[in-house]
Amino acid sequence: WYTCAHHISLDGYASVRVLERGAAIYTAVMAGEEPAPHDATSPAAFVEEDRQYQGSARARRDRDFWRASALEHSRTGVLSLAGSAAPQPMSMTAGGVAASSQHAVLTPLAGRTTSSVVIAAFAVFVARMTDSTDVRLSLPVSARSTALLRRGGSTTSNVVPLDLPGIGRTTVGGAIKLTETALGTVLQ
């Protein structure tokens, strides 16, 4: 079985939903049974849910949060990697001190998610490249925040700003903890 769709039509989550539905239909047909009805969501249901959200207290809280975030960002300015060269020498560090063993670097990674470690590492790289202690990343995220949206079969995503103040001057463990806290805030 082969399936192909452009990312504009289906994101990774929706692709899995399509494959699950195809497998359910195939399994039912092979067993001589009628496939169960699908639970996909109609576009009209999406529109209605969004209309209800726009008038809700949650929408007002979200709007206030993102306005405050944008205002703070407008005060700090925007950094760019354009024209930047890698700082020399590049060395493995933990808290500004060269790591003497793998243990010094790997200990803060224990029990952490891969995504938080990778995002923290990239943010520290950006901080070094821009000679800055504060970093703001654009984080692509799924916008499937409700059960209705999770039943949808399309691309549903958003990009949120991820502020990481002080990440350029902290330890490895501190950078990961700061990233995890910031992710929890923006993915509320």
Side-chain angles (χ1 to χ4, degrees), residues 29-42:
V29 168
M30 294 308 293
E33 300 169 358
E34 188 68 26
H38 67 81
D39 67 347
T41 305
S42 73

Side-chain angles (χ1 to χ4, degrees), residues 25-182:
I25 291 170
Y26 177 80
T27 301
V29 168
M30 294 308 293
E33 300 169 358
E34 188 68 26
H38 67 81
D39 67 347
T41 305
S42 73
F46 288 135
V47 171
E48 177 56 24
E49 183 178 65
D50 187 62
R51 187 193 64 72
Q52 290 177 13
Y53 166 77
Q54 294 302 325
S56 71
R58 180 178 174 200
R60 288 187 292 281
R61 282 191 312 273
D62 289 348
R63 183 176 49 250
D64 292 345
F65 172 82
W66 290 114
R67 279 186 179 158
S69 177
L71 179 61
E72 180 60 30
H73 182 59
S74 69
R75 291 186 196 131
T76 60
V78 177
L79 295 174
S80 171
L81 293 178
S84 297
Q88 296 296 325
M90 293 290 283
S91 62
M92 182 73 75
T93 62
V97 178
S100 59
S101 70
Q102 287 185 349
H103 178 74
V105 175
L106 297 179
T107 298
L109 305 181
R112 307 299 189 175
T113 65
T114 302
S115 58
S116 63
V117 171
V118 170
I119 293 167
F122 180 69
V124 170
F125 172 76
V126 170
R128 295 240 1 220
M129 291 293 292
T130 59
D131 194 27
S132 173
T133 57
D134 303 334
V135 170
R136 173 177 266 204
L137 301 176
S138 296
L139 182 69
V141 297
S142 172
R144 297 178 189 281
S145 56
T146 67
L148 185 74
L149 288 171
R150 285 188 288 278
R151 288 196 310 269
S154 65
T155 297
T156 308
S157 61
N158 200 354
V159 178
V160 298
L162 183 67
D163 290 316
L164 299 163
I167 198 158
R169 67 174 179 268
T170 189
T171 63
V172 172
I176 295 168
K177 179 66 176 163
L178 177 65
T179 301
E180 289 173 335
T181 301

